[in-house]
Structure formats: C-alpha cells, structure tokens
Amino acid sequence: MRTYTFPFAIAYADTDAGGIAYHGRYIEIAERARMNILRGIKFPDGDVGFVVRDLSIRYIHPLFLADTVVVETTVTKLGAASLSVEQKFVKDGVICAILLGTAAYIGANMQPKRIPDSVAEPFRE
C-alpha cells in the first residue's frame, strides 16, 4: 500500500532536560502524521471517523533536539471497520522508532461502523 511522509523537526518542547525526545511525544507526532493523511477526506455527516483502538511503539534510536525526522506512514491493513498502520520515524535513512496502531471507524451512534467507500478509497491506491 501507499506510504505517506510527514517531515518533522524535534523542538525544545519535545525533549527532556537532556535534549532527548520524550517518549510520549512520538505518539503526538505520529498523530499529526495520521491527521495529515486524513486532511481532505470528507466524512459522512454525523460520523465520528477514526479513533485509535490500540498502539505499540518500539524505540530503536533516540531523537534529539533539532533533529529532522520523517514519519513514514503505511496503511498495512484496510478492514471493513478498521485500518492498521505502521509508522516509522526515520532520520537520515535510519529507523529510530516504529509505531503500530489500529483505528476503528465510528459512526454517529458511537459504535463501530463499516468504513464508507468514499473514506476508504484513498487508502486503496
């Protein structure tokens, strides 16, 4: 499936006192990358859209203040009512972290719902 890229620079607010990117910030940065992918997709009126059901992160190499990283997001599975993603944090060709996540599609009644074709179509490319 298609891989989406999201460049990001590690700012002072992303780091601890030692200048190392705080582990929790990876989740926030990954969320920005996912939201960037959804930009431009029109969700049916009333539907909540995608909500994260589970996440796991493997930290491989630390990121530091002022590092430029690219988050490479790939939809690894498109199910009837959910999608799974792999997000790699890459700096200078080196994978620094890998996030695996699944998001469920939620309708207006706050229950899982089949992903509408208009929403799923961009991920089928």
Side-chain angles (χ1 to χ4, degrees):
M1 293 198 163
R2 181 176 168 194
T3 297
Y4 302 84
T5 59
F6 182 75
F8 191 85
I10 303 299
Y12 185 77
D14 301 319
T15 64
D16 61 17
I20 299 171
Y22 177 65
H23 71 277
R25 297 301 265 195
Y26 288 75
I27 296 171
E28 293 177 35
I29 296 165
E31 177 66 14
R32 289 177 194 220
R34 287 190 303 274
M35 293 308 300
N36 192 55
I37 293 167
L38 297 176
R39 186 170 291 152
I41 294 177
K42 173 124 174 60
F43 292 94
D45 288 341
D47 283 1
V48 173
F50 292 103
V51 297
V52 174
R53 186 177 73 200
D54 58 62
L55 288 175
S56 67
I57 303 174
R58 184 173 58 176
Y59 301 98
I60 303 166
H61 298 285
L63 293 171
F64 297 91
L65 177 63
D67 279 351
T68 300
V69 63
V70 174
V71 180
E72 298 176 352
T73 302
T74 304
V75 176
T76 57
K77 181 180 177 189
L78 180 60
S82 67
L83 61 82
S84 297
V85 296
E86 176 185 74
Q87 294 182 282
K88 295 178 182 175
F89 287 70
V90 181
K91 182 184 118 184
D92 300 328
V94 175
I95 298 172
C96 298
I98 301 173
L99 183 146
L100 302 174
T102 302
Y105 191 83
I106 304 296
N109 64 356
M110 298 301 289
Q111 297 296 315
K113 174 184 176 180
R114 176 174 288 279
I115 302 170
D117 286 336
S118 61
V119 175
E121 190 59 37
F123 303 114
R124 292 189 178 121
E125 299 177 354

